[in-house]
Amino acid sequence: MKNYGVFLLLFSSMVVLGFVPIVRADDLILPDIHAEVALQSEMYFGEDDTISGYLVPDDAIVVRQAVISAEGELGKYVEYFVEFGTAACMGRGAGVQRKHAGLLFKPCDFLKVGIVQDHAMRGFELYQCCMEVLTAEKPRFSKTLAPCHPLGAVIETDIDITGTMGIATQFGYFNGPAGTFDEEHDINLGLTFRTPLEGLSVAGFYTDWLQDFEYDGEPDNGFRTGFGLDFDRFNAHLRGEYYLGKGFYSSFGDSIMTSEDLKMNAFYIEGAYAVQTGWDILPYIQPYAMYQSWDKASNVDGDHTYSYLTAGVSIGLGEYDAKLRIDYEMPLSAPDDTPEEAGKLVIRIQGGI
């Protein structure tokens, strides 16, 4: 499998760089430039648990995201994109970094082959950018399931069958968590089916995971998989997905469960309805809610499930998709003998041009 990954990477590089025709100056198309800024206030409501060592995070005003991106085409057969900026999900105090990049050869309308640093097609929620999802943040388990922006080679297809029905796929061979594909990898196959019912899609993915969980110099096998439904029409949004996997860092000790054998499952369900006001200054008001559940050790005896409820509202602010978001996440349940987490209130202003 390791040799196959090397072959795929080399093949993608050759396709993109070796067979690209020379681009004349009059064939160049100026890129589309996009800038986005999101700033927010974070407030926490709870009590410290000195016995367990849990401390309620400090309230703060943060730059949730500030990025600038460019995307365009090099002649008829090549497209590219790149994004630089900073975001709170990259770590507090993170400086300007490259978040996304890609160079793709497209021999026909429905096929692309290339190398990208981007979200892998793992269903709906994990495939979207953080600022695009319904709630202020993705479900808590998202980063544990998979990295946000893996780097690797991809083959993508997107075929329209009818005016409303179609299939999109992505096969990706990405670096592993250490940033290489030597003795580790992240091989993902994702599929999204746009059903004949307009607005309704189904999606699923499977990830073959190879990583040295035990720090013994030997790669350990794991997997990630998930499936879900998404409906977005008539100003209504409904979405739900279920995930499961094996191979996560374990805190139970070798006598109970090794990291290689540890299994998790998780799901969320969310819904929203956008009320159109007809006002230019506040074009819509969209209340929403999400319930999420995360079993951190589904194959270990006992209760290891955490659940959360998020409720909020997004309010459109004039033009350019600017919005005010008020979002509150509260813990609902947790295993016995674990500290009660604080609730989190986010008040965010975001917009792009």
Side-chain angles (χ1 to χ4, degrees):
M1 185 61 70
K2 176 182 174 182
N3 292 333
Y4 178 75
V6 174
F7 168 77
L8 181 59
L9 287 168
L10 292 175
F11 173 76
S12 299
S13 300
M14 290 172 59
V15 167
V16 174
L17 301 177
F19 300 110
V20 176
I22 297 175
V23 180
R24 301 190 305 264
D26 55 0
D27 291 330
L28 288 174
I29 302 174
L30 292 177
D32 294 326
I33 305 296
H34 181 256
E36 186 174 46
V37 176
L39 300 101
Q40 66 188 37
S41 171
E42 299 175 354
M43 290 170 280
Y44 297 87
F45 301 87
E47 296 182 358
D48 296 338
D49 188 329
T50 55
I51 297 177
S52 66
Y54 174 77
L55 299 177
V56 176
D58 294 329
D59 298 344
I61 296 176
V62 301
V63 178
R64 178 58 183 84
Q65 178 163 286
V67 297
I68 185 168
S69 61
E71 59 180 308
E73 298 180 343
L74 299 175
K76 183 179 179 181
Y77 299 105
V78 178
E79 67 178 38
Y80 65 91
F81 60 89
V82 64
E83 180 178 271
F84 289 92
T86 186
C89 58
M90 299 161 60
R92 289 287 179 89
V96 175
Q97 301 179 28
R98 182 191 68 250
K99 291 190 62 185
H100 303 269
L103 190 62
L104 295 159
F105 173 62
K106 47 178 188 176
C108 51
D109 291 339
F110 63 85
L111 175 64
K112 298 178 184 178
V113 181
I115 297 177
V116 302
Q117 179 183 11
D118 202 5
H119 297 282
M121 183 182 284
R122 307 188 214 262
F124 297 110
E125 198 85 355
L126 301 184
Y127 193 35
Q128 282 187 290
C129 292
C130 294
M131 296 296 101
E132 296 175 350
V133 297
L134 180 66
T135 53
E137 300 293 346
K138 294 183 178 182
R140 289 187 170 223
F141 48 79
S142 59
K143 285 188 177 181
T144 301
L145 282 172
C148 287
H149 308 137
L151 174 62
V154 297
I155 300 173
E156 301 178 348
T157 65
D158 194 342
I159 300 173
D160 289 326
I161 301 173
T162 67
T164 58
M165 185 168 59
I167 298 176
T169 67
Q170 183 194 69
F171 174 77
Y173 193 108
F174 302 101
N175 288 333
T180 70
F181 53 87
D182 183 22
E183 302 300 334
E184 59 172 357
H185 63 229
D186 170 0
I187 302 176
N188 185 73
L189 176 63
L191 181 147
T192 300
F193 174 58
R194 301 183 294 275
T195 71
L197 179 60
E198 186 175 354
L200 177 64
S201 299
V202 298
F205 72 94
Y206 182 84
T207 304
D208 182 77
W209 197 269
L210 192 65
Q211 182 178 350
D212 182 10
F213 289 108
E214 309 301 335
Y215 298 106
D216 57 4
E218 296 294 331
D220 303 310
N221 287 107
F223 73 89
R224 312 282 189 267
T225 189
F227 58 90
L229 297 170
D230 181 270
F231 180 78
D232 194 353
R233 196 182 178 197
F234 305 121
N235 297 325
H237 170 96
L238 295 171
R239 176 184 288 181
E241 293 184 272
Y242 177 80
Y243 310 89
L244 66 157
K246 180 179 81 75
F248 302 92
Y249 285 111
S250 172
S251 60
F252 294 100
D254 293 343
S255 60
I256 298 177
M257 183 61 61
T258 64
S259 295
E260 180 182 11
D261 295 324
L262 180 64
K263 294 182 179 180
M264 294 185 182
N265 61 53
F267 72 90
Y268 74 90
I269 184 169
E270 64 185 17
Y273 185 80
V275 179
Q276 305 297 321
T277 66
W279 306 334
D280 291 338
I281 190 171
L282 298 174
Y284 66 88
I285 299 173
Q286 183 188 47
Y288 61 81
M290 177 176 72
Y291 173 81
Q292 58 176 301
S293 175
W294 181 10
D295 188 341
K296 296 185 179 182
S298 59
N299 59 336
V300 177
D301 292 339
D303 178 23
H304 307 282
T305 301
Y306 297 76
S307 64
Y308 306 87
L309 177 65
T310 302
V313 61
S314 292
I315 303 173
L317 301 176
E319 301 174 302
Y320 302 113
D321 198 29
K323 66 180 68 173
L324 168 67
R325 187 193 298 273
I326 302 172
D327 181 285
Y328 185 73
E329 180 190 81
M330 67 185 78
L332 293 181
S333 64
D336 294 336
D337 302 322
T338 59
E340 183 177 350
E341 298 178 75
K344 180 181 179 181
L345 175 65
V346 172
I347 302 176
R348 175 190 299 166
I349 298 178
Q350 67 184 75
I353 186 173

